Amino acid sequence: MKFSSTLLAVKDMEKSLKFYKEIFKQEVTMDLGWNKTLSCGLVLQSHFDELVGFPDENMKWKGYNMELYFETDDMDEFIAILEKHPEVEKVHDLKTHDWQQRVVRIFDPDGHMIEVGESMEKVAFREFDKGHNLEETQRITQHPMELVKIWHEHYLARK
């Protein structure tokens, strides 16, 4: 058995497609009408209540018990995109975790929570730029040394 994808029930397919295209640069890779697969593998499904056979009033929107997670190497660029879309509801503004990763959480048009975080490799690069060695960067990022070493190799290779 293998995990195949994540499906999100949506109220308005066009509104959801516009959101994921403009905010996350996603394209539709498979269009089955009520069911559309995006380039990241996420599936949007309209008429979900009909598909599974329960009344529309059973649909719960804007849950706080799960999130989609996206990463970016350019958090500043993503924040600039968000600023162009004041209609996007934020769970919280940009914040920095103890491990120095900057993140923002937002809701899509149907209330699905989305976290966007800068890649941890980008965080490590920033720490290396500050002059931190492997041990310091491992302590700061709170990631395994094996991974910090790989990030360091990538960091040196880009110079």
Side-chain angles (χ1 to χ4, degrees):
M1 168 125 16
K2 72 172 190 163
F3 177 78
S4 183
S5 66
T6 298
L7 182 144
L8 297 179
V10 301
K11 298 176 203 171
D12 181 332
M13 182 63 79
E14 291 311 309
K15 187 175 184 180
S16 293
L17 284 175
K18 182 178 188 289
F19 174 85
Y20 283 98
K21 285 179 178 182
E22 290 182 8
I23 306 294
F24 292 97
K25 309 296 185 223
Q26 296 299 298
E27 295 299 326
V28 174
T29 59
M30 187 181 324
D31 186 340
L32 301 173
W34 288 358
N35 179 291
K36 298 185 188 333
T37 302
L38 303 180
S39 46
C40 66
L42 186 64
V43 178
L44 304 179
Q45 177 73 51
S46 60
H47 304 276
F48 188 70
D49 55 326
E50 295 175 42
L51 179 69
V52 297
F54 57 74
D56 179 58
E57 58 267 13
N58 285 9
M59 294 294 292
K60 305 291 184 224
W61 303 100
K62 202 170 190 176
Y64 289 84
N65 60 350
M66 67 82 62
E67 68 180 14
L68 299 176
Y69 178 71
F70 286 83
E71 279 191 348
T72 180
D73 283 335
D74 193 339
M75 183 58 82
D76 295 328
E77 177 186 34
F78 182 75
I79 295 301
I81 291 169
L82 272 186
E83 288 173 354
K84 294 177 186 172
H85 293 275
E87 75 280 7
V88 174
E89 182 182 356
K90 291 181 183 174
V91 177
H92 61 73
D93 289 323
L94 184 67
K95 69 179 183 178
T96 303
H97 287 297
D98 292 342
W99 50 93
Q100 299 309 300
Q101 182 188 37
R102 297 183 304 157
V103 301
V104 64
R105 285 184 177 83
I106 61 176
F107 289 110
D108 80 357
D110 297 291
H112 302 107
M113 192 184 314
I114 302 170
E115 177 183 352
V116 178
E118 65 185 328
S119 73
M120 286 305 298
E121 182 174 67
K122 178 74 174 189
V123 173
F125 283 12
R126 192 168 53 245
E127 297 306 317
F128 297 140
D129 282 342
K130 292 177 184 176
H132 291 125
N133 64 27
L134 291 171
E135 291 76 20
E136 292 166 330
T137 301
Q138 189 274 326
R139 181 186 50 75
I140 291 166
T141 64
Q142 303 175 22
H143 278 65
M145 181 55 79
E146 297 77 27
L147 188 53
V148 174
K149 287 178 181 177
I150 292 169
W151 293 336
H152 193 250
E153 289 172 14
H154 294 171
Y155 175 77
L156 294 174
R158 74 176 188 137
K159 292 211 166 249

